[in-house]
Amino acid sequence: MTPRGAATALSPPGVLFAVLGLALTTAPVLTLAANRIVTGQGARAWELPGATTGLSGLFAVIAGLLLGLPAAWPRVRLAGAGLGLAGLLWLLTRGASALLEGAGEYARVSPAAGFWCLLVILLMLLADALAQMSPGPRLRAVLLAAGLAALGAVLASGALADLSIAQEYFSRADAFADAALRHLGLAFGSLAAAACIGFPLGIYCARRMRMRDAVLPVLSFLQTIPSLAMFGLMIPVLGWVGDSLPGARALGIAGIGFAPAFLALVLYSLLPVVGNTVAGLAAVPAAALEAARGMGMTPRQRLFRVELPLGLPVLLAGLRIVLVQNIGLAVIAGLIGGGGFGTFVFQGLNQTATDLILLGALPTVLLALVAAIVMDILVDLARPSGRGTPPPPKTPKAEAPA
């Protein structure tokens, strides 16, 4: 392809996003309902009250999709995704306030299917443009911080206060803060417990073939148990422990609540931690181990100075799997009284209140997305190419014979 042809070539994903996005601009972007329970009536962008409210936002979305077409200009594609997201935000904020005028005291405005589909398409365009630019881990960290800061500024400004999901949040602000702490405790606490158990177990399995052949099938079997069944199995087990052991209930161990959810998440986390520890240690080049032996390193020194540093990217990849998995699975804890964002999800299902479901689902998705990006950055930084050229190893001191 000539340089001129390469400059005018279209991005295949950009074409797909543009076609789907342009088709979805005809779908309703907002829904107006008489109250929080009844089904609302959808409103397309050009049907929103006000002469320019819907058309200006719609124009920004279309322009953003078209800017995502050139394959050779990833920064233009990135700017197009940002313009499209800004257009969606404009439709959300200005359209909600326009629809609520004179609609009644209990009227609610929610994002409609067209909004959510366009949001997904523009986020995919954003991710595709970033992947094309291949930013380093530090630049990705800066972009993530900038994105979170922009999201925080929008939420703090009160621009989304007219939306029904914001109304659900305002009526449950204290419960939301408690659910957030519980969710973080379940996800990160189970990750820490699994790491404390899984890393030593993985190192031992890497050293003993028989141990590995016995442990990994058991952990694989635990992973095949459906999540609802696993949470349910913990109820009688911990209920018996709480009733039988003195002081167990004082520590919070009971058939329902935080403890069974926490234990189920720990059991689910062990296979990725142990498996990746074994794989990380097995991936260490034999030449590096031989060189360490030649330098007189003891097995302990080889483990901490050679094997664990070289296997760190694989170990961190296992923790990334566990963290993202546990953030999602912690939602089920709401079903057995364990708290977390799942409480709102199941309350919304019982009340047929979609906005209450979204109040629990959206922060879960955001938390999982941020955790995945942060762990990806850490994995890249742990690779030798991400850390630069490592300094030469120091010659260990000779140990006195026992």
Side-chain angles (χ1 to χ4, degrees):
M1 184 180 292
T2 63
R4 184 174 181 180
T8 58
L10 299 180
S11 165
V15 173
L16 178 63
F17 298 149
V19 171
L20 293 177
L22 291 176
L24 286 168
T25 54
T26 60
V29 292
L30 291 173
T31 300
L32 176 64
N35 55 57
R36 67 190 291 265
I37 302 298
V38 301
T39 303
Q41 184 174 2
R44 296 173 177 81
W46 58 85
E47 295 173 343
L48 296 176
T52 59
T53 298
L55 292 179
S56 54
L58 185 62
F59 175 76
V61 172
I62 294 174
L65 292 170
L66 296 180
L67 288 176
L69 291 175
W73 299 341
R75 294 185 179 180
V76 173
R77 303 184 67 216
L78 183 66
L83 178 62
L85 290 172
L88 276 184
L89 180 63
W90 172 271
L91 287 173
L92 201 63
T93 57
R94 303 301 296 268
S97 58
L99 283 175
L100 283 177
E101 289 183 5
E105 183 180 358
Y106 301 104
R108 297 292 186 98
V109 173
S110 304
F115 171 85
W116 293 115
C117 293
L118 284 171
L119 178 64
V120 170
I121 288 175
L122 289 169
L123 289 177
M124 291 174 67
L125 174 59
L126 180 71
D128 186 58
L130 285 174
Q132 190 179 1
M133 294 170 63
S134 300
R138 293 173 180 81
L139 180 56
R140 272 185 285 158
V142 172
L143 292 175
L144 176 62
L148 291 177
L151 178 61
V154 170
L155 294 176
S157 67
L160 303 178
D162 288 332
L163 292 174
S164 56
I165 187 173
Q167 300 299 319
E168 298 286 355
Y169 167 76
F170 291 142
S171 62
R172 298 170 174 81
D174 293 337
F176 186 87
D178 179 69
L181 291 176
R182 283 278 186 138
H183 206 98
L184 292 174
L186 285 169
F188 287 91
S190 59
L191 172 69
C196 293
I197 300 171
F199 282 147
L201 187 59
I203 293 171
Y204 192 69
C205 287
R207 300 283 189 266
R208 299 285 186 273
M209 182 72 73
R210 290 184 177 178
M211 186 71 178
R212 182 179 62 186
D213 293 342
V215 169
L216 290 183
V218 174
L219 298 182
S220 300
F221 171 73
L222 292 176
Q223 201 80 8
T224 63
I225 299 176
S227 54
L228 274 176
M230 178 69 86
F231 280 70
L233 288 173
M234 295 298 106
I235 294 177
V237 174
L238 291 189
W240 177 83
V241 173
D243 294 336
S244 304
L245 296 183
R249 286 195 175 274
L251 296 174
I253 299 176
I256 59 172
F258 186 87
F262 185 86
L263 181 57
L265 292 177
V266 172
L267 293 178
Y268 271 128
S269 306
L270 286 178
L271 178 62
V273 175
V274 175
N276 278 54
T277 303
V278 173
L281 296 182
V284 176
L289 292 175
E290 190 62 30
R293 290 192 189 95
M295 295 170 67
M297 288 187 179
T298 64
R300 184 184 183 87
Q301 289 172 327
R302 289 200 299 272
L303 174 65
F304 286 101
R305 295 188 181 185
V306 178
E307 294 178 276
L308 288 180
L310 291 178
L312 186 59
V314 182
L315 270 64
L316 288 176
L319 293 182
R320 177 194 183 279
I321 295 172
V322 170
L323 184 56
V324 176
Q325 167 188 280
N326 286 4
I327 289 173
L329 285 177
V331 171
I332 304 177
L335 196 61
I336 59 173
F341 293 129
T343 304
F344 302 119
V345 174
F346 292 107
Q347 286 179 1
L349 289 173
N350 291 332
Q351 301 174 20
T352 323
T354 306
D355 298 313
L356 194 51
I357 298 174
L358 291 176
L359 184 63
L362 290 180
T364 304
V365 173
L366 178 63
L367 187 60
L369 185 63
V370 172
I373 295 174
V374 170
M375 291 304 296
D376 282 340
I377 292 173
L378 292 178
V379 170
D380 284 349
L381 289 174
R383 292 195 176 100
S385 58
R387 292 177 294 178
T389 304
K394 297 179 181 179
T395 303
K397 297 179 180 179
E399 292 188 349

